[in-house]
Amino acid sequence: MSEAHRTERAASVSVDPFSIEVLSDPYAYHPQIRDAGPVLWFPQYQVFGVARYAEVKEVLSDWETYCSSRGVGLADFSRDTPWRTPSLLLERDPPLHTSTRTVMNKVVALPRLKKLADHWRVVARDLIDGLVAQRSFDAVQDLAEQFPLRIFPDTLGLLQEGRENLLIYATSTFNAFGPRNDVFLESQIGIEPALAWIDEACRYENLAPGGWGRDVHDFVKEAGLPAEYGALLVRSFLSAGVDTTINGIGNLLHAFSLHPQEWQKLRNDRSLVKRAFEEGLRWQGTAQTFFRTTTRNVNLAGVNIPEGSKVIAFLGAANRDPRHWEEADTFNISRQTSGHVGFGFGIHQCLGQMIARQESEVVLEVLSQRVASITPAGEPQRRLNNTLFAMKSLPVTIEPA
Ligand code: OVV
């Protein structure tokens, strides 16, 4: 039989990727799933999986075979009721996805984003100067959570009142991509008012003039798309833009607290700021997993996957696959990081990646100017989530520059 027709079995994995143990330390689990085989089978969930770089990239590249419109979580929208009204971006395929993505690309266009950088820098200086004066603080609660929440809701022009609902909603959304386990159920307690607030906040009349939220509605109209798309597309910013940037920054600060030599490297050469952020996403990314659903029978790396199968892609595992990366487990901010899949890959690759970059770069620029060293001052605590590798707490002591 020729290589193309060779059929092998997917490697069965009995350890639950959504167990407390794995969610607490996914990087301890990754060698096991990468080495088990190119295509995995999780009997507990009846889903396939990929954890090696090559297969993760293959699945994310081929949107016609591995679709998003049946949900990018465990739930198959052709059978199961979606947890929320499906996103017009994340949970759609072309051609609809192309029209909504085109509209949103206009909103996040780089020249518009760059206009905000000076203001964001002022906010970062103000926040960081206060923390440097304290010497000891929680790098997650006092910095990683504070910074995005001080700039992003204002950029969108969100209601002032009720912004505490943003994190509650985002956390639930990312939990809902996984199974209905305790981690998910806990995040559902008292979720109703948060969901109601989100719906209100996305309406045109509740968005401030001059903010990106109104721009979404205006660009939807300009493109001739249905007016009701406006609110749902604003919701994508609230779903995808809060918990992700918070933990992108949080995980990066955690990485630096564990690698003081890399912090010195950055302080000696600030042109490494951009690479440092990308390496942070590669080494300890926020979005760990997303699913696709097969639209046809497909042979992937010798394994036949039937039509209508869920396939989980382990982004975090791919980003440390030694088959692709040299010294994959080493956090090295001067390495070449291009090709990492921390923002995904293909047509659904993170729409907000330039926003995330600008946020993190501003924080790193200011912090590297003001702070000579970052030392752990207690056990960091993880915040378990079915999709995100997140932190609850990271006590640090800093030495001012
Ligand atoms: C990337 C992402 C995560 C969560 C939600 C969405 C997108 C959305 O479009 O709603």
Side-chain angles (χ1 to χ4, degrees), residues 49 51 72 86 97 115 124 147 175 179 184-185 202 242 267 283 302 335 381 394 397 399:
V72 298
H97 171 269
K115 282 189 203 154
F147 182 71
N175 273 331
F184 168 80
L185 292 172
C202 293
V242 178
R267 297 221 336 116
W283 190 74
R335 79 156 71 228
Q381 276 181 280
L394 175 63
T397 301
E399 195 186 305

Side-chain angles (χ1 to χ4, degrees), residues 291-314:
F291 291 74
R292 296 290 188 261
T293 313
T294 53
T295 57
R296 60 178 180 94
N297 297 333
V298 58
N299 186 285
L300 176 62
V303 176
N304 283 331
I305 303 179
E307 184 275 333
S309 303
K310 280 280 167 183
V311 181
I312 179 171
F314 290 88

Side-chain angles (χ1 to χ4, degrees), residues 207-219:
L207 291 158
W212 284 16
R214 276 206 175 182
D215 291 342
V216 171
H217 284 270
D218 291 341
F219 292 170

Side-chain angles (χ1 to χ4, degrees), residues 84 87 90 174 177 236 239-240:
R84 54 176 194 154
S87 162
L90 181 77
F174 282 102
F177 296 132
S236 282
S239 310

Side-chain angles (χ1 to χ4, degrees), residues 240-278:
V242 178
D243 215 348
T244 50
T245 51
I246 286 175
N247 288 295
I249 297 170
N251 288 347
L252 181 58
L253 296 176
H254 180 236
F256 276 119
S257 77
L258 298 174
H259 299 89
Q261 77 286 3
E262 294 303 296
W263 186 251
Q264 290 320 316
K265 215 197 244 179
L266 180 69
R267 297 221 336 116
N268 293 335
D269 180 3
R270 295 230 167 65
S271 72
L272 288 173
V273 158
K274 283 178 191 293
R275 278 193 187 204
F277 172 62
E278 303 300 324

